[in-house]
Amino acid sequence: MVAPGWYMALAAALFLVGALGLLIRRNALVMFMCIELMLNAVNLTLVAAGRALNDINGQVAVFFILVVAAAEVVVGLAIIVSIFRLRSTASVDELSEMKG
Amino acid sequence: MNFEVDYLALAPELVVVGTILLVLALDLVLPRPRKYWTATVAVAGTALALLPLAAMAIEGTTRSMFDGSFVVDQFALVLKGLFLIAGYVVFLMSHHYIESDRYYQGEYYLLLLASILGSLVMSSARDLIVLFVGIELTTGPLYMLAGWRKGDVKSNEASMKYFILGVLSTAILLYGMSLLFGLTGEVTFAGIAEATAGRAGEPLLTMAVLFMIVGFGFKVSAVPFHFWAPDTYEGAPTPVTAYLSVNSKAAGFVAMLLVLYLAVPDLSQVWAPALWVLAALSMTLGNLSAIRQNNIVRLLAYSSIAQAGFMMVPFAAAAVAGADLEEAFSATVIYMVIYAVMNLGAFAAVIAGARTTQSGEIPAWAGLGRADPRIGVLVLIFFFSLAGIPPLAGWFAKFVMFRSVIIAGGTATVVLAIIAALNAVVSYYYYARVVKTVWMDPATTDLQVQEPAGSLRLALGVAVVLTVLIGLYPAATTFVTEASKVLATGG
């Protein structure tokens, strides 16, 4: 069996990749995928911790996070579509009507 | 495990769920000109949900369910009351605003009710999973509501910015929670508090707490996690902005306080300095940025960032000084309740005033006081209350804040108090500027007075009565203090 610490390290790496991607990439869809990556890092941490502690709560939390993440994907894609209809672009740099 | 369901404890949530389903069904069957019935049902449902709350408040016992994951104590009751009444006032503000434009009424009320349901659940959460579901149900519908004017680029931008940063904050918050679970093996606040006792200084535990503070920082739009707020507030429809700045911010605060106070009180040497910095930065940057604003909604956005800083002061000060958190906790909650009342009023006055001035730019509001003295007086009352001028409710909020800082004592606390005092002075400037424009500047255009709709008048009435009443008779908020103490003793 692989020690749980390795899963935690993998999750931390995934979280970091997601966070960096969110900061660097400017396409709304890609930013969105990065956020999903971060949420999956959370899931991996919870599952690994739940397994290591022999505690079912970790897995239960993952179910809730999956459902909430799915709902948020729906909302996010709807927002991207409504922006795309007006401006034909999914780049967030174009969205700068308001400043200050 | 105990899976018995206490239906009275769940009654407010159940009533709101029933209202959501009813609004959904009505929206389906009603012809377009009759859609306003959805608003009536939503308002009635919110008012109805207050009845079981009142029943439980009179009874006065604490109800606990699902192994202590869902607790209805006096503190939860006060917060649920706050969320329902604030939601009720927002419905009244929305009614005419949404009807007069080509908005989708049914879905609008449905989503707002869903958000209220989330904040009700969250008030009772004493467990990380319930807290997470509650706070996400509170913010999820708001991403859509912020972009409600689909044909308006600003509204699109508002919802996109809010969404990306909202979901990012959720991911960060969750990562902190997952680490906390991994390190303690507990999800209930009580269990975590037990498991973390005496473990301050462990690096991973420190990281977990800091991640959660960053996540909550986004939710309450504290500096330096505030940059989404002004754009989202400006682009969203104004009643939604009122809801964002009151319910959504209060929900974030409650979640943060519950976690810090109930789950990780022993790690206060980690989160107290972080909270201190957040409070100082939010007050200073919020107020200084508000001075430069010409759009009244953006001004209120920065003002709400600054007010969030003031709200954090008692709790941060007491934690830094190592003083009793109970007093500070109730001070923060009282500040939050008073802020909710006067900020809702300010937004209602802005909606009413903008109908006459046809503009959100402050210079265009010149002469409003002469053209329509009633709206002028309301603007004066709410903006002076936000500034903290007696005898309006805001002074008592500021008084409670400074009192709890003095009780705490200590050098770091005194520094924070000085920063807060300086900021209170700065805030007079921009609040008074709006009032001066409304009352003293000559009108630039011929203002056509527009009567506010009946529901908006009711919203203004509720807010102005509460603002003046709390200001003249602050003892009216004693029950909030008492209720916070029930939580403090773990009741």
Side-chain angles (χ1 to χ4, degrees):
Chain A
M1 195 183 122
V2 184
W6 289 104
Y7 291 105
M8 300 286 193
L10 175 64
L14 275 178
F15 191 83
L16 202 64
V17 169
L20 284 177
L22 192 74
L23 293 174
I24 295 164
R25 300 299 295 268
R26 276 296 162 261
N27 183 298
L29 279 171
V30 178
M31 290 172 82
F32 209 39
M33 285 156 62
C34 290
I35 289 172
E36 290 301 306
L37 208 56
M38 293 168 82
L39 286 174
N40 279 323
V42 172
N43 287 342
L44 188 58
T45 313
L46 281 170
V47 171
R51 182 83 176 83
L53 298 163
N54 207 8
D55 185 343
I56 196 72
N57 275 324
Q59 271 97 321
V60 173
V62 169
F63 276 115
F64 282 99
I65 295 174
L66 282 178
V67 172
V68 170
E72 267 162 1
V73 167
V74 174
V75 174
L77 287 178
I79 294 170
I80 292 176
V81 167
S82 85
I83 289 175
F84 195 78
R85 278 194 182 149
L86 279 187
R87 329 199 73 179
S88 304
T89 174
S91 166
V92 290
D93 283 343
E94 307 274 317
L95 285 173
S96 53
E97 290 289 311
M98 295 173 287
K99 284 206 176 87
Chain B
M1 291 290 246
N2 172 20
F3 290 111
E4 233 170 89
V5 178
D6 179 349
Y7 285 99
L8 180 59
L10 274 178
E13 283 84 355
L14 291 177
V15 170
V16 174
V17 169
T19 316
I20 290 176
L21 295 176
L22 196 58
V23 167
L24 195 62
L26 278 177
D27 189 40
L28 191 67
V29 297
L30 285 175
R32 200 155 179 83
R34 295 257 197 83
K35 294 267 195 215
Y36 62 84
W37 274 103
T38 54
T40 315
V41 170
V43 168
T46 332
L48 193 65
L50 285 168
L51 290 181
L53 278 187
M56 281 185 280
I58 291 165
E59 192 195 51
T61 51
T62 296
R63 291 154 181 274
S64 169
M65 264 188 289
F66 311 125
D67 286 341
S69 290
F70 190 93
V71 173
V72 185
D73 49 18
Q74 295 295 310
F75 176 71
L77 288 178
V78 166
L79 288 174
K80 285 177 195 214
L82 171 71
F83 288 130
L84 281 172
I85 291 170
Y88 180 82
V89 174
V90 171
F91 281 138
L92 293 178
M93 281 156 67
S94 314
H95 184 48
H96 192 73
Y97 195 93
I98 295 298
E99 204 183 26
S100 60
D101 229 315
R102 293 187 8 257
Y103 296 137
Y104 299 89
Q105 291 184 56
E107 288 92 331
Y108 179 89
Y109 294 108
L110 180 79
L111 289 171
L112 261 186
L113 280 167
S115 178
I116 292 173
L117 176 65
S119 45
L120 293 184
V121 171
M122 199 216 47
S123 320
S124 283
R126 299 292 180 269
D127 159 325
L128 290 178
I129 301 176
V130 181
L131 184 91
F132 161 69
V133 173
I135 199 162
E136 282 316 294
L137 188 55
T138 311
T139 49
L142 294 172
Y143 303 141
M144 282 174 273
L145 287 170
W148 209 241
R149 292 189 306 224
K150 284 201 291 184
D152 179 358
V153 184
K154 276 191 178 178
S155 193
N156 282 332
E157 187 182 331
S159 100
M160 189 69 195
K161 282 180 175 164
Y162 187 33
F163 174 76
I164 293 270
L165 287 166
V167 181
L168 172 67
S169 76
T170 304
I172 296 174
L173 175 66
L174 277 174
Y175 194 61
M177 286 182 176
S178 71
L179 288 178
L180 197 58
F181 167 71
L183 293 165
T184 60
E186 295 282 347
V187 286
T188 59
F189 293 164
I192 293 171
E194 214 168 288
T196 54
R199 282 172 70 184
E202 277 186 37
L204 272 175
L205 219 43
T206 306
M207 204 167 97
V209 172
L210 289 181
F211 267 102
M212 289 196 298
I213 288 192
V214 172
F216 288 130
F218 274 109
K219 303 263 181 224
V220 302
S221 66
V223 178
F225 314 110
H226 68 290
F227 30 78
W228 59 271
D231 292 349
T232 303
Y233 283 18
E234 187 185 344
T238 318
V240 175
T241 308
Y243 187 87
L244 276 173
S245 75
V246 173
N247 274 38
S248 155
K249 190 179 284 256
F253 254 104
V254 173
M256 178 159 85
L257 292 179
L258 284 177
V259 169
L260 294 182
Y261 187 52
L262 291 180
V264 290
D266 279 359
L267 303 180
S268 68
Q269 53 173 288
V270 175
W271 54 259
L275 219 55
W276 192 98
V277 172
L278 283 185
L281 283 178
S282 302
M283 286 187 293
T284 313
L285 253 88
N287 276 323
L288 292 180
S289 309
I291 291 176
R292 302 188 275 114
Q293 301 308 320
N294 264 327
N295 182 299
I296 194 151
V297 178
R298 276 188 96 79
L299 183 134
L300 282 175
Y302 280 108
S303 122
S304 85
I305 291 170
Q307 299 275 0
F310 286 127
M311 266 180 248
M312 268 184 267
V313 166
F315 206 60
V320 167
D324 183 21
L325 284 177
E326 187 180 303
E327 178 74 31
F329 190 85
S330 63
T332 293
V333 173
I334 283 187
Y335 200 111
M336 199 169 74
V337 169
I338 293 176
Y339 162 79
V341 170
M342 58 195 184
N343 214 46
L344 278 177
F347 272 103
V350 164
I351 292 176
R355 280 169 54 78
T356 296
T357 60
Q358 302 286 326
S359 169
E361 300 302 312
I362 295 170
W365 285 51
L368 180 66
R370 297 252 164 85
D372 190 348
R374 284 169 308 165
I375 299 296
V377 167
L378 288 171
V379 169
L380 181 134
I381 288 177
F382 293 125
F383 277 70
F384 275 0
S385 178
L386 281 168
I389 293 175
L392 302 160
W395 81 267
F396 186 62
K398 291 253 174 14
F399 169 77
V400 169
M401 176 188 84
F402 283 116
R403 187 183 61 184
S404 78
V405 171
I406 290 165
I407 292 173
T411 321
T413 314
V414 171
V415 174
L416 192 62
I418 293 170
I419 298 175
L422 288 176
N423 272 296
V425 176
V426 171
S427 74
Y428 286 136
Y429 171 74
Y430 62 83
Y431 289 127
R433 204 189 81 190
V434 174
V435 176
K436 174 198 159 260
T437 309
V438 166
W439 279 102
M440 292 180 181
D441 290 358
T444 44
T445 51
D446 194 21
L447 292 174
Q448 299 291 326
V449 175
Q450 302 282 329
E451 286 290 314
S455 53
L456 184 58
R457 264 188 244 165
L458 185 55
L460 283 166
V462 172
V464 83
V465 166
L466 286 174
T467 305
V468 175
L469 185 81
I470 297 174
L472 292 176
Y473 186 62
T477 56
T478 314
F479 73 98
V480 179
T481 320
E482 296 304 317
S484 312
K485 285 189 179 135
V486 172
L487 178 79
T489 52

Coordinates of all heavy atoms in Angstrom, one line a residue, chain B residues 154-186:
Chain B
K154 N -21.8 45.0 -18.7 CA -21.4 45.2 -17.3 C -21.9 44.1 -16.4 O -21.2 43.7 -15.5 CB -21.9 46.6 -16.8 CG -21.0 47.7 -17.2 CD -21.5 48.9 -16.4 CE -20.6 50.1 -16.7 NZ -21.1 51.3 -16.0
S155 N -23.2 43.8 -16.6 CA -23.7 42.7 -15.8 C -23.0 41.4 -16.0 O -22.8 40.6 -15.1 CB -25.2 42.6 -16.0 OG -25.9 41.9 -15.1
N156 N -22.7 41.1 -17.3 CA -22.0 39.9 -17.6 C -20.6 39.9 -16.9 O -20.2 38.9 -16.3 CB -21.7 39.8 -19.1 CG -22.9 39.4 -19.9 OD1 -23.8 38.6 -19.3 ND2 -23.1 39.8 -21.1
E157 N -20.0 41.0 -17.0 CA -18.6 41.1 -16.4 C -18.8 40.9 -14.9 O -17.9 40.2 -14.3 CB -18.1 42.5 -16.7 CG -16.6 42.7 -16.3 CD -16.2 44.1 -16.6 OE1 -16.7 44.7 -17.5 OE2 -15.3 44.6 -15.8
A158 N -19.8 41.5 -14.3 CA -20.0 41.4 -12.8 C -20.1 39.9 -12.5 O -19.5 39.4 -11.5 CB -21.3 42.1 -12.4
S159 N -20.9 39.2 -13.2 CA -21.2 37.8 -12.8 C -19.9 36.9 -13.1 O -19.6 36.0 -12.3 CB -22.4 37.3 -13.5 OG -22.1 36.5 -14.6
M160 N -19.2 37.2 -14.1 CA -18.0 36.4 -14.4 C -16.9 36.6 -13.3 O -16.4 35.7 -12.8 CB -17.4 36.9 -15.8 CG -16.3 36.0 -16.3 SD -17.0 34.4 -16.7 CE -15.5 33.5 -16.9
K161 N -16.7 37.9 -13.0 CA -15.7 38.2 -11.9 C -16.1 37.5 -10.6 O -15.3 36.9 -9.9 CB -15.5 39.7 -11.8 CG -14.7 40.3 -12.9 CD -14.5 41.8 -12.7 CE -13.6 42.3 -13.7 NZ -13.6 43.8 -13.8
Y162 N -17.4 37.7 -10.3 CA -17.8 37.1 -9.0 C -17.7 35.6 -9.1 O -17.3 35.0 -8.1 CB -19.3 37.5 -8.8 CG -19.9 37.2 -7.5 CD1 -19.1 37.1 -6.4 CD2 -21.2 36.9 -7.4 CE1 -19.6 36.8 -5.1 CE2 -21.8 36.5 -6.1 CZ -20.9 36.5 -5.0 OH -21.5 36.1 -3.8
F163 N -18.1 35.0 -10.2 CA -18.0 33.5 -10.3 C -16.6 33.0 -10.1 O -16.4 32.1 -9.3 CB -18.6 33.1 -11.6 CG -18.5 31.6 -11.8 CD1 -19.4 30.8 -11.1 CD2 -17.6 31.1 -12.7 CE1 -19.2 29.4 -11.3 CE2 -17.4 29.7 -12.8 CZ -18.3 28.9 -12.1
I164 N -15.7 33.5 -10.9 CA -14.3 33.0 -10.9 C -13.7 33.1 -9.5 O -13.2 32.2 -8.9 CB -13.4 33.7 -11.9 CG1 -13.9 33.4 -13.3 CG2 -11.9 33.4 -11.7 CD1 -13.2 32.3 -14.0
L165 N -13.9 34.3 -8.9 CA -13.3 34.5 -7.6 C -14.1 33.7 -6.5 O -13.5 33.3 -5.5 CB -13.2 36.0 -7.3 CG -12.0 36.6 -8.1 CD1 -12.1 38.1 -8.1 CD2 -10.7 36.1 -7.6
G166 N -15.4 33.6 -6.7 CA -16.2 32.9 -5.7 C -15.8 31.4 -5.7 O -15.6 30.8 -4.6
V167 N -15.7 30.8 -6.9 CA -15.3 29.4 -6.9 C -13.9 29.2 -6.5 O -13.6 28.2 -5.8 CB -15.6 28.9 -8.3 CG1 -15.3 27.4 -8.4 CG2 -17.0 29.1 -8.7
L168 N -13.0 30.1 -6.8 CA -11.6 30.0 -6.3 C -11.6 30.0 -4.8 O -10.9 29.2 -4.2 CB -10.8 31.2 -6.9 CG -9.4 31.3 -6.3 CD1 -8.5 30.1 -6.8 CD2 -8.7 32.6 -6.7
S169 N -12.4 31.0 -4.2 CA -12.4 31.0 -2.7 C -12.9 29.7 -2.2 O -12.4 29.3 -1.1 CB -13.2 32.2 -2.3 OG -14.6 32.0 -2.4
T170 N -13.9 29.2 -2.8 CA -14.4 27.9 -2.3 C -13.4 26.8 -2.4 O -13.2 26.0 -1.4 CB -15.6 27.4 -3.2 OG1 -16.6 28.5 -3.3 CG2 -16.2 26.2 -2.7
A171 N -12.6 26.8 -3.5 CA -11.6 25.8 -3.6 C -10.5 25.9 -2.5 O -10.1 25.0 -1.8 CB -10.9 25.8 -4.9
I172 N -10.1 27.2 -2.2 CA -9.1 27.4 -1.2 C -9.7 27.1 0.2 O -9.0 26.4 1.0 CB -8.7 28.9 -1.2 CG1 -8.0 29.2 -2.5 CG2 -7.7 29.2 -0.1 CD1 -7.6 30.6 -2.7
L173 N -10.9 27.5 0.5 CA -11.6 27.2 1.7 C -11.6 25.7 1.9 O -11.3 25.1 3.0 CB -13.0 27.8 1.7 CG -13.9 27.5 2.9 CD1 -13.3 28.1 4.1 CD2 -15.3 28.0 2.6
L174 N -12.0 25.0 0.9 CA -12.2 23.5 1.0 C -10.8 22.8 1.2 O -10.8 21.8 1.9 CB -12.8 23.0 -0.3 CG -14.3 23.0 -0.4 CD1 -14.7 22.6 -1.7 CD2 -14.9 22.1 0.7
Y175 N -9.8 23.3 0.6 CA -8.5 22.7 0.8 C -8.1 22.9 2.3 O -7.6 21.9 2.9 CB -7.4 23.4 -0.1 CG -6.2 22.6 -0.2 CD1 -6.2 21.3 -0.7 CD2 -5.0 23.1 0.2 CE1 -5.0 20.5 -0.8 CE2 -3.8 22.4 0.1 CZ -3.8 21.1 -0.4 OH -2.7 20.3 -0.4
G176 N -8.3 24.0 2.8 CA -8.1 24.2 4.2 C -8.9 23.2 5.1 O -8.3 22.6 6.0
M177 N -10.2 23.1 4.7 CA -11.0 22.2 5.5 C -10.5 20.7 5.4 O -10.5 20.0 6.3 CB -12.4 22.2 5.0 CG -13.2 23.5 5.4 SD -14.9 23.4 4.8 CE -15.6 24.9 5.5
S178 N -10.1 20.3 4.1 CA -9.6 19.0 3.9 C -8.4 18.7 4.7 O -8.2 17.6 5.3 CB -9.4 18.7 2.5 OG -8.3 19.3 2.0
L179 N -7.5 19.7 4.8 CA -6.3 19.5 5.6 C -6.7 19.4 7.1 O -6.1 18.5 7.8 CB -5.3 20.7 5.5 CG -4.6 20.8 4.1 CD1 -3.7 22.0 4.1 CD2 -3.7 19.6 3.9
L180 N -7.6 20.2 7.5 CA -8.0 20.2 8.9 C -8.6 18.8 9.3 O -8.4 18.2 10.3 CB -9.1 21.3 9.1 CG -9.4 21.7 10.6 CD1 -8.1 22.2 11.3 CD2 -10.4 22.8 10.6
F181 N -9.4 18.3 8.3 CA -10.0 17.0 8.5 C -8.9 15.9 8.6 O -8.9 15.0 9.5 CB -11.0 16.6 7.4 CG -11.4 15.2 7.4 CD1 -12.2 14.7 8.4 CD2 -10.9 14.3 6.4 CE1 -12.5 13.3 8.4 CE2 -11.3 13.0 6.4 CZ -12.1 12.5 7.4
G182 N -7.9 16.0 7.7 CA -6.8 15.0 7.7 C -6.0 15.1 8.9 O -5.6 14.0 9.4
L183 N -5.8 16.3 9.5 CA -5.0 16.4 10.7 C -5.7 16.0 12.0 O -5.1 15.7 13.0 CB -4.4 17.8 10.8 CG -3.5 18.2 9.7 CD1 -3.2 19.7 9.6 CD2 -2.1 17.4 9.9
T184 N -7.1 16.2 12.0 CA -7.8 15.9 13.2 C -8.7 14.7 13.2 O -9.0 14.1 14.2 CB -8.7 17.1 13.6 OG1 -9.6 17.3 12.5 CG2 -7.9 18.4 13.8
G185 N -9.1 14.3 12.0 CA -10.0 13.2 11.8 C -11.4 13.5 12.3 O -12.2 12.6 12.6
E186 N -11.7 14.8 12.3 CA -13.1 15.2 12.8 C -13.7 16.1 11.8 O -13.0 16.9 11.1 CB -12.9 15.9 14.2 CG -12.4 15.1 15.3 CD -13.5 14.2 15.9 OE1 -14.7 14.4 15.6 OE2 -13.1 13.2 16.6

